[in-house]
Amino acid sequence: MRFVLNIFLKGLVFTLPLVITFGLIYWLFFKAESLLKVPLQWVLPEGAYLPGMGVASAVVLVFLAGILAQAYVTKHVLRWFGELVGHTPLIKTVYNTVRDFMELVAGDKDRSMQGVVVVTLDNDLRLMGFVTNDNLTIAQHQGLVAVYLPMSYQVGGYTLLVPPERCEYLDIPVKTAMQQVLTAHISKYSAAYAK
């Protein structure tokens, strides 16, 4: 019985990430198609709409939004609108969290993580984290390093404020280290080989 259970669990380990990944992609495509189908049918001549045009339109709209976000004039308008939404009760919690996460993943490199470090705590305990600010002042404490410690398999984490001498910078790309930390270093490939 244990042998059968082990085979089943190995099958889950193989199939579940694929199902979740492709299910999420399908859901995003389906939502984009259903949201943009009606406006496209209004604009296009009758019978000209083809399945998939909603997804293609969503990609084009996101690309155009990226161009607008970089333009000098619209950058300030979008920043003002973002601040307005970011201060609206109820909406601000979701908006600010999503915005911060997207900036972390795809944002400006100067504002995102500045490196990978190992922080040494008492009793020689070590934690891998990501530097988000290497010269932080809080109250009378100056020159602190802000190190973000994500929790494995979760969307949460902690930010440590530590003196620089407690941080050892590692020569690992942030993306590789993040993958290792978020999967609790279970990956078969070590960070050293994933460069």
Side-chain angles (χ1 to χ4, degrees):
M1 184 66 178
R2 187 177 180 98
F3 175 73
V4 173
L5 182 61
N6 279 342
I7 290 177
F8 180 77
L9 289 176
K10 286 181 182 178
L12 271 181
V13 167
F14 177 74
T15 57
L16 203 55
L18 291 173
V19 169
I20 291 172
T21 301
F22 287 108
L24 180 61
I25 291 170
Y26 173 78
W27 180 80
L28 286 171
F29 275 72
F30 179 78
K31 281 298 179 187
E33 186 69 27
S34 63
L35 284 172
L36 294 172
K37 179 180 181 179
V38 174
L40 284 173
Q41 287 177 333
W42 288 342
V43 173
L44 295 173
E46 191 166 335
Y49 176 82
L50 298 172
M53 288 179 130
V55 173
S57 299
V59 170
V60 169
L61 288 173
V62 170
F63 184 77
L64 290 174
I67 291 173
L68 283 174
Q70 290 183 340
Y72 179 76
V73 175
T74 54
K75 184 188 300 186
H76 296 296
V77 173
L78 291 174
R79 183 177 298 141
W80 172 81
F81 181 73
E83 288 176 7
L84 179 69
V85 172
H87 288 90
T88 305
L90 298 175
I91 297 172
K92 68 181 179 183
T93 305
V94 175
Y95 174 78
N96 289 336
T97 303
V98 172
R99 184 198 62 212
D100 291 345
F101 178 74
M102 290 310 297
E103 283 182 359
L104 181 67
V105 172
D108 185 2
K109 298 295 181 192
D110 295 334
R111 296 179 61 196
S112 62
M113 297 181 191
Q114 301 168 8
V116 182
V117 294
V118 169
V119 178
T120 304
L121 303 176
D122 294 334
N123 297 324
D124 209 25
L125 178 68
R126 293 182 174 94
L127 297 168
M128 184 185 290
F130 304 92
V131 176
T132 58
N133 190 328
D134 62 1
N135 190 13
L136 188 64
T137 300
I138 294 186
Q140 69 272 21
H141 304 285
Q142 298 179 353
L144 295 173
V145 178
V147 180
Y148 173 65
L149 304 173
M151 295 188 299
S152 301
Y153 297 108
Q154 296 187 26
V155 183
Y158 301 97
T159 302
L160 295 181
L161 303 175
V162 296
E165 58 270 13
R166 292 256 182 152
C167 297
E168 175 189 346
Y169 281 82
L170 302 176
D171 187 20
I172 301 173
V174 169
K175 182 178 177 182
T176 301
M178 182 65 80
Q179 180 182 13
Q180 291 295 311
V181 169
L182 291 179
T183 60
H185 297 276
I186 290 178
S187 175
K188 292 181 182 179
Y189 305 104
S190 71
Y193 297 115
K195 287 184 183 179

